[in-house]
Amino acid sequence: MSHSDYSFTVDPAALGLPSRDELVDMRIWDSHYHGTGSHEEIVKYIKRMGIERVISLDIGGGVTSEDPERDKRHRSLLKEWRKLLSGITRIDPGYPHKSLKKMERWIRNGPCIGIKYSGLIELDVTCDHPNSDPIIELAEELGAVIYIHTWIKVGGNPRYAGGGNYTGESTPMDVAKLAERFPDVQMICGHQGGDWELGIRAIRPHENVLLEFSGALPTSGAVDLAVNELGTDRLVWGGHGPSRSYANELSKVYDADLSDEERMKIFGTNYRRLAAPIMREKGYSVKI
């Protein structure tokens, strides 16, 4: 890809937006990437937006979805795109023993750097269930990144926040309960729970919980509230591509009243600090 392919149709400066060079200077790490299945098509957009590294949340599929050919493709992809792409693997607290075996295969003896609690759990078991204890203990031993999908859907009869969630789909309140049991283990609360005002406040007392805010609409003020309540050291950034655009997700941080140093923390420094030990163990050179 030539440098000309990175140009934008409209001059970003004319709209008060950052140039590609300015985005590159931010050293952006995308902690929430779903483009594994079409990576070769998407990578041009990753590079065009100056993203330094993307973290796939889909490596190895679910714990009950055996597919040797898929696993072979995923390992090959992580090897071929090692300078740009890292991966974490999905676990399921409904199947703790299978989850532990998967972590051994993909993290201890494989290329992955962490685990993801998915939003599509087969059984009605959220992240705070006791089944999670051996999973978190092994993750701590491995130094693995822990990402937990969370959402707060209104539903039920009578209706309440969280009453419309999928079976086994965790909320930030569930993350708070898990974090209280493991105060020395850092974990990421994904999507800010969808409802950012409730999600931010749910995890606020637990300093071992970082907040990731991809996937929702780019509401002005959401990141400002998160910074006011949690501080910039507890936020990480995700692009949620290809189902969300980088413009959508980048705008949340650029909308906030932040210095460039604070933006850099959110865009990548905080995630690099979290992931650096296991990445260095895997042979990556990580400059925080």
Side-chain angles (χ1 to χ4, degrees):
M1 180 179 286
S2 67
H3 188 273
S4 61
D5 293 327
Y6 297 145
S7 61
F8 298 104
T9 304
V10 179
D11 179 12
L15 301 175
L17 299 174
S19 66
R20 182 181 182 277
D21 288 341
E22 289 171 323
L23 291 171
V24 169
D25 288 342
M26 286 286 111
R27 297 197 58 211
I28 301 169
W29 279 35
D30 178 359
S31 69
H32 197 126
Y33 178 60
H34 286 299
T36 307
S38 52
H39 180 73
E40 287 79 3
E41 299 172 24
I42 298 172
V43 70
K44 63 182 178 181
Y45 301 108
I46 297 171
K47 293 184 176 182
R48 184 169 181 256
M49 298 305 291
I51 309 298
E52 185 172 297
R53 180 168 293 276
V54 294
I55 316 296
S56 171
L57 279 63
D58 303 312
I59 300 300
V63 296
T64 60
S65 59
E66 296 291 335
D67 186 343
E69 285 301 315
R70 175 206 58 209
D71 293 354
K72 183 179 178 180
R73 288 196 305 272
H74 284 183
R75 287 179 182 268
S76 176
L77 192 68
L78 290 175
K79 182 177 180 180
E80 179 183 356
W81 291 95
R82 181 180 174 84
K83 293 183 179 180
L84 179 69
L85 174 69
S86 300
I88 64 178
T89 192
R90 280 185 277 168
I91 56 86
D92 187 333
Y95 301 94
H97 298 299
K98 289 184 178 181
S99 294
L100 295 175
K101 289 182 179 179
K102 194 177 185 208
M103 292 167 69
E104 292 286 350
R105 185 169 70 254
W106 281 99
I107 303 175
R108 190 191 300 277
N109 301 309
C112 286
I113 62 169
I115 60 173
K116 177 195 177 182
Y117 282 77
S118 176
L120 298 173
I121 299 297
E122 291 186 23
L123 306 178
D124 191 9
V125 180
T126 50
C127 69
D128 60 319
H129 191 279
N131 284 2
S132 278
D133 289 4
I135 294 171
I136 299 299
E137 288 166 0
L138 180 57
E140 182 181 19
E141 177 191 336
L142 296 172
V145 175
I146 301 168
Y147 179 93
I148 304 172
H149 165 99
T150 70
W151 211 266
I152 304 172
K153 298 184 178 78
V154 176
N157 186 20
R159 290 164 63 82
Y160 68 97
N165 278 26
Y166 296 130
T167 297
E169 185 175 26
S170 297
T171 67
M173 291 73 88
D174 298 323
V175 174
K177 294 174 186 176
L178 179 64
E180 189 171 13
R181 292 210 305 274
F182 293 92
D184 296 325
V185 179
Q186 289 188 295
M187 54 193 74
I188 299 171
C189 177
H191 301 300
Q192 66 194 4
D195 186 320
W196 46 277
E197 292 175 299
L198 293 179
I200 290 167
R201 289 182 171 90
I203 67 166
R204 179 173 56 187
H206 306 285
E207 295 188 1
N208 56 321
V209 181
L210 288 80
L211 183 75
E212 183 262 3
F213 42 89
S214 73
L217 295 174
T219 307
S220 182
V223 173
D224 286 301
L225 179 65
V227 170
N228 289 339
E229 298 290 333
L230 308 176
T232 53
D233 290 339
R234 289 179 60 186
L235 303 185
V236 297
W237 183 81
H240 206 286
S243 60
R244 291 293 189 274
S245 72
Y246 280 125
N248 182 87
E249 301 301 334
L250 290 167
S251 69
K252 298 174 183 178
V253 181
Y254 278 104
D255 166 77
D257 185 17
L258 301 170
S259 67
D260 282 349
E261 182 180 359
E262 290 171 322
R263 288 194 175 94
M264 286 189 73
K265 283 185 177 183
I266 297 170
F267 275 141
T269 303
N270 294 338
Y271 194 95
R272 285 190 292 275
R273 185 173 289 114
L274 177 68
I278 189 169
M279 292 191 72
R280 287 169 179 159
E281 189 176 308
K282 300 287 183 186
Y284 291 94
S285 176
V286 181
K287 180 181 178 182
I288 296 176

